[in-house]
Amino acid sequence: MPTIHYNYAIKHLNSFGIDVNAKLFTEVRTEEELKTLFSSAVVKENQLLVLGGGSNMLFTKDYEGLIIKVSIKGIDVKDDEHHVYVTAGAGEVWHDFVKYCVAKQYCGLENLTLIPGTVGASPVQNIGAYGVEIKDVFESCVAFDTQTNQLVTFSNKDCEFAYRDSLFKSKAKGRFIITHVTFKLAKTPTLKIHYGVIKEELAAEGILAPSIRDVSDVVAKIRVNKLPEPKTIGNAGSFFKNPVVSQSVFNKLKEKFDDIANYPLADGSVKLAAGWLIEKCGFKGVVDGNTGTWKNQALVLVNYGEATGLEVYNFSEKVINTVQNTFGVTLEREVNIF
Ligand code: FAD
Ligand code: NAP
């Protein structure tokens, strides 16, 4: 049975660096430990929250239940003629896992370099960056069903992946604890370098025929220059999702805001850049008490010091209301609020 800690400080376990406690806290390192934990009373008597790296969470108060940190490790590789099937434990650190795959020349994860968090959380919001989403390389995952206490395997289709969303973040939120994820990666590189800044940075560095490592290095460079490092400035990455609007709504916005950043989607709708909307409302790099937005990307809300989660949350309300009043567009939080 994994050790249960009482009134456990989790400031170092959330990338916003919010100083809160969990009433109960435990860490599981194997599927067997999970099963044992779920046969105990502590699970039945408390509300539960699964924690990976805490990089997509905002705690607005102490957590009055049991936090289960998933620290299942290990990497296993199988292959066929064209692909490698790499299975990683949910507790593997995402960026270390990407580095491992890049070093082995397994192609598919390089655009997702330097995303904080764990492998187990990667399917939850179908992590994505620079034109690639996890669904593009996700083969399957194994998860512990907290309702039946059984391990279940999910295929790509089962996960109902959508833009920064999946079954695990929507209708089955909180039900499954992902223990292992398998990625289908290519032996022959088919790089995705169409995304603007990647193309520009490769060109600036004079790289005409990039390797998997080149793409990973370029992404790392872009991110380090643009995004705040959570260990120095607490944050959880993009605080809001990019809103998607219909073509007719977009046309009206375009009449009023000629330079509005937009990306047409295959179904005819239009993705707006939430960061652009927030910046246009005058929020880029603002400091509001202990919180505010990042100087290089207004979409990232930050903890400038000793912010409470409630302060950050209230500031996010202010941003939502201002964007709504200015553009008539409703921003939805991407970060999980507890
Ligand atoms: P946590 O924050 O611990 O948890 C997130 C959610 O997943 C919670 O609901 C939690 O209950 C659930 N969860 C966690 N582990 C499991 C598990 N094993 N089984 C079931 N549920 C689980 N995201 C992107 O998509 N793209 C980016 O480019 C990106 N860049 C970022 C940059 C910065 C600087 C930061 C701070 C964040 C960024 N993020 C990005 C957000 C974040 O890194 C990802 O969402 C990441 O996948 C979260 O992983 P985590 O382990 O920290 O999850
Ligand atoms: P950016 O390059 O400044 O672009 C702003 C927005 O425009 C992005 O959100 C992106 O949407 C969209 N965009 C830009 N070029 C695009 C293209 N060629 N095709 C489609 N959409 C395009 O964004 P950024 O803030 O520096 O982030 C870079 C990448 O890392 C983005 O993909 C972003 O999602 C990801 N990121 C995510 C988080 C997070 O916490 N979720 C944090 C940091 C960075 P998309 O977001 O849909 O790509």
Side-chain angles (χ1 to χ4, degrees):
M1 173 78 182
T3 310
I4 307 285
H5 303 271
Y6 294 83
N7 203 25
Y8 193 81
I10 55 166
K11 184 177 178 179
H12 64 297
L13 295 177
N14 71 97
S15 65
F16 252 119
I18 304 295
D19 193 4
V20 286
N21 288 351
K23 186 179 89 174
L24 300 160
F25 176 89
T26 191
E27 192 167 2
V28 289
R29 293 180 177 80
T30 62
E31 286 170 348
E32 289 64 40
E33 278 193 346
L34 251 186
K35 285 182 190 160
T36 314
L37 179 68
F38 273 79
S39 61
S40 71
V42 69
V43 159
K44 295 180 187 86
E45 291 161 1
N46 289 284
Q47 55 171 332
L48 307 175
L49 171 61
V50 179
L51 181 72
S55 65
N56 202 18
M57 293 189 170
L58 177 68
F59 289 98
T60 56
K61 51 184 182 299
D62 286 339
Y63 188 74
E64 295 298 336
L66 171 66
I67 290 190
I68 303 170
K69 178 161 170 56
V70 181
S71 297
I72 298 171
K73 297 283 171 102
I75 296 179
D76 182 51
V77 181
K78 293 191 169 53
D79 71 342
D80 60 22
E81 195 183 346
H82 299 295
H83 293 97
V84 275
Y85 298 84
V86 192
T87 301
E92 289 289 343
V93 171
W94 176 260
H95 179 59
D96 292 346
F97 177 60
V98 172
K99 279 198 296 190
Y100 169 89
C101 294
V102 169
K104 297 265 181 193
Q105 311 255 33
Y106 304 154
C107 181
L109 297 179
E110 51 286 346
N111 294 46
L112 305 177
T113 295
L114 265 191
I115 297 181
T118 55
V119 165
S122 66
V124 174
Q125 77 155 9
N126 177 26
I127 58 168
Y130 306 99
V132 171
E133 291 174 297
I134 211 66
K135 73 169 175 49
D136 303 336
V137 287
F138 177 97
E139 175 70 7
S140 62
C141 71
V142 176
F144 181 82
D145 184 344
T146 61
Q147 285 182 7
T148 64
N149 289 4
Q150 300 291 320
L151 289 170
V152 196
T153 299
F154 290 85
S155 69
N156 189 311
K157 192 162 172 277
D158 295 336
C159 294
E160 298 177 19
F161 288 124
Y163 180 64
R164 302 290 185 271
D165 204 7
S166 76
L167 171 88
F168 307 110
K169 197 172 177 177
S170 55
K171 65 183 183 210
K173 193 175 168 88
R175 174 169 172 181
F176 297 99
I177 302 178
I178 296 166
T179 61
H180 291 89
V181 186
T182 301
F183 300 91
K184 181 181 177 181
L185 304 175
K187 286 184 173 174
T188 311
T190 41
L191 298 167
K192 293 192 179 166
I193 51 172
H194 59 281
Y195 198 94
V197 275
I198 294 194
K199 248 193 312 198
E200 285 161 25
E201 189 58 39
L202 286 169
E205 294 191 15
I207 302 170
L208 300 176
S211 63
I212 298 170
R213 181 178 293 279
D214 288 331
V215 175
S216 175
D217 287 349
V218 157
V219 168
K221 189 173 173 191
I222 296 166
R223 293 185 77 104
V224 165
N225 286 330
K226 184 156 187 186
L227 299 166
E229 158 57 44
K231 285 199 181 88
T232 318
I233 305 250
N235 75 92
S238 308
F239 199 87
F240 305 99
K241 292 184 190 181
N242 285 329
V244 175
V245 298
S246 66
Q247 185 68 49
S248 62
V249 168
F250 173 70
N251 292 343
K252 287 197 188 101
L253 283 166
K254 177 88 179 145
E255 276 171 27
K256 258 178 107 178
F257 308 95
D258 187 43
D259 58 339
I260 187 165
N262 68 93
Y263 299 91
L265 301 179
D267 64 0
S269 59
V270 181
K271 180 177 76 176
L272 306 176
W276 186 93
L277 300 172
I278 298 167
E279 185 176 342
K280 282 287 157 179
C281 291
F283 279 116
K284 192 172 184 178
V286 302
V287 179
D288 187 305
N290 291 302
T291 183
T293 53
W294 184 235
K295 59 182 178 202
N296 296 333
Q297 173 51 291
L299 186 52
V300 179
L301 302 199
V302 294
N303 176 359
Y304 279 118
E306 296 300 309
T308 63
L310 207 52
E311 246 181 309
V312 179
Y313 182 84
N314 289 340
F315 178 68
S316 75
E317 282 286 300
K318 205 188 266 188
V319 172
I320 291 172
N321 291 337
T322 312
V323 168
Q324 179 76 49
N325 293 337
T326 310
F327 297 103
V329 172
T330 309
L331 290 182
E332 200 188 314
R333 292 178 186 87
E334 181 179 299
V335 170
N336 299 281
I337 311 292
F338 296 101

